């Protein structure tokens, strides 16, 4: 086969196709940097103590706000989204107070395992294809647990925008995308960030039963059911009794 005259463009197109072939639902490319506004907001979030007991958010905050501090070789980031939308309205369960409600993301196989397996397969193909194109490329993969600001990266990669509930919302998949990344040592052209489409809608804010949003686009984790039931070390009986 002839060597490609545009190896980076070929590599980028290959990665997008390969990610979709692995079963990811959304793919985009971001620069290996987080906008300063997001890094400032992280510092404010931590200074306000909104992370509660999640001391691990303070550890390596410098790496969290700068992918190149986490991995100096990083030049671009391939962000993937995995759709986990349920086939029914999960809010219907709220009319049945005798039944416990499990958050939708926790009802299936652990998404970390599923996405890491897919990203690992993708990483293998990426390294082989880069070598074939004469690019040479190292990769590192992340899903949720590393000090990476996944939402701002996903926004930069054009997957969606950060909504008023602070999660990334996609025009195609709504709030139902879990995120993962492949950090790449090759600089590839980034996608265009998606603008904010929330407008005057505030349904996600008023739906929260514990009023965890001090303002649109801001979450106080200490009031969030996800935090109280997973991350908080003390008893949350008093807060959750309703
Ligand atoms: C810590 C954490 C939590 C904490 C705190 C959540 C939070 N919002 O920070 C808790 C335990 C509460 C939590 C809960 C959930 N989480 Co969580 N969590 C994370 C984690 C590890 C870090 C998030 C982070 O950096 N927080 C720090 C603060 C500073 O970030 P932030 O809230 O996004 O703050 C931004 C806004 O405030 C914004 N901002 C501030 N002011 C303003 C003003 C304007 C005008 C604008 C536009 C923006 C803006 O700028 C900040 C920086 O970007 C990420 C994985 C990762 N490594 O990124 C997953 C992650 C965010 N979680 C995820 C999920 C799915 C959930 C849950 C839905 C799980 C569930 N139980 O059902 C809930 C959703 C609750 C919610 N509304 O956020 C997904 C979200 C996917 C997506 N589409 O966005 C992630 C990305 C994991 C993943 N790999 O898929 N989570």
């Amino acid at each position: 086969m002839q060597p490609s005259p545009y190896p980076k463009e070929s590599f980028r197109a290959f990665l997008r196709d390969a990610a979709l072939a692995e079963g990811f639902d959304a793919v985009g490319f971001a620069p290996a940097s987080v906008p300063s506004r997001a890094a400032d907001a992280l510092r404010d979030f931590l200074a306000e103590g909104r992370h509660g007991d999640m001391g691990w958010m303070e550890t390596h905050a410098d790496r969290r706000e700068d992918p190149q501090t986490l991995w100096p070789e990083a030049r671009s980031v391939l962000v993937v989204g995995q759709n986990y939308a349920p086939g029914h309205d999960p809010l219907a369960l709220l009319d049945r107070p005798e039944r416990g409600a499990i958050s939708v993301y926790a009802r299936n196989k652990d998404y970390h395992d599923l996405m890491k397996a897919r990203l690992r397969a993708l990483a293998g193909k990426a390294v082989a294809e880069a070598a074939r194109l004469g690019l040479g490329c190292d990769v590192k993969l992340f899903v949720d647990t590393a000090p990476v600001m996944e939402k701002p990266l996903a926004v930069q990669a054009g997957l969606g925008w950060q909504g008023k509930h602070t999660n990334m919302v996609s025009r195609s998949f709504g709030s139902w995308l879990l995120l993962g990344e492949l950090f790449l040592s090759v600089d590839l052209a980034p996608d265009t960030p998606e603008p904010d489409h929330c407008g005057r809608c505030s349904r996600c804010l008023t739906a929260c039963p514990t009023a965890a949003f001090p303002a649109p686009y801001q979450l106080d984790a200490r009031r969030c059911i996800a935090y109280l039931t997973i991350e908080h070390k003390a008893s949350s009986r008093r807060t959750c009794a309703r």
Side-chain angles (χ1 to χ4, degrees):
M1 203 188 291
Q2 285 285 317
S4 166
Y6 305 108
K8 285 189 183 175
E9 284 83 342
S10 301
F11 188 40
R12 194 176 181 281
F14 171 87
L15 287 174
R16 190 183 291 278
D17 291 348
L20 294 172
E22 282 305 326
F24 292 116
D25 299 289
V27 192
F29 294 87
S33 62
V34 161
S36 56
R37 193 180 72 166
D40 292 346
L42 172 65
R43 262 175 254 138
D44 292 347
F45 178 87
L46 295 172
E48 293 276 335
R50 289 182 178 172
H51 56 304
D53 291 342
M54 297 183 289
W56 46 267
M57 290 204 70
E58 281 175 86
T59 318
H60 306 311
D62 55 334
R63 297 184 189 178
R64 196 172 285 276
E65 63 190 48
D66 178 17
Q68 291 187 330
T69 302
L70 176 65
W71 187 41
E73 281 77 33
R75 292 295 171 270
S76 47
V77 180
L78 177 142
V79 185
V80 292
Q82 190 74 59
N83 179 15
Y84 71 110
H88 58 279
D89 175 8
L91 293 180
L93 248 190
L94 299 183
D95 294 332
R96 307 211 27 209
E98 78 285 2
R99 297 267 314 263
I102 307 283
S103 187
V104 173
Y105 85 95
R107 291 185 196 172
N108 300 304
K109 191 175 171 191
D110 187 325
Y111 78 91
H112 301 92
D113 297 341
L114 179 102
M115 292 183 74
K116 270 186 191 157
R118 289 183 175 172
L119 278 173
R120 224 170 269 129
L122 182 61
K125 290 178 185 169
V127 170
E129 179 67 3
R132 193 187 71 78
L133 291 166
L135 285 172
C137 178
D138 286 336
V139 298
K140 290 205 184 296
L141 60 94
F142 303 104
V143 179
D144 188 35
T145 49
V148 174
M149 292 192 85
E150 299 189 310
K151 294 179 282 182
L153 286 172
V155 172
Q156 293 209 91
L159 265 63
W161 70 98
Q162 263 187 271
K164 291 180 185 173
H165 54 13
T166 77
N167 282 338
M168 197 219 64
V169 190
S170 147
R171 291 213 101 169
S172 307
F173 302 100
S175 298
W176 302 109
L177 279 184
L178 295 162
L179 303 174
E181 303 77 33
L182 212 55
F183 281 26
L184 305 158
S185 65
V186 174
D187 60 317
L188 299 176
D191 283 296
T192 308
E194 179 77 36
D196 187 330
H197 297 284
C198 284
R200 283 153 49 152
C201 178
S202 57
R203 288 174 64 192
C204 65
L205 303 178
T206 48
C208 177
T210 53
F213 303 104
Y217 306 102
Q218 294 183 33
L219 176 86
D220 188 337
R222 294 168 297 186
R223 298 189 63 84
C224 177
I225 290 174
Y227 167 81
L228 293 168
T229 52
I230 303 169
E231 302 287 349
H232 186 40
K233 302 294 177 275
S235 162
S236 46
R237 229 179 310 151
R238 195 167 61 91
T239 322
C240 288
R242 289 175 59 81

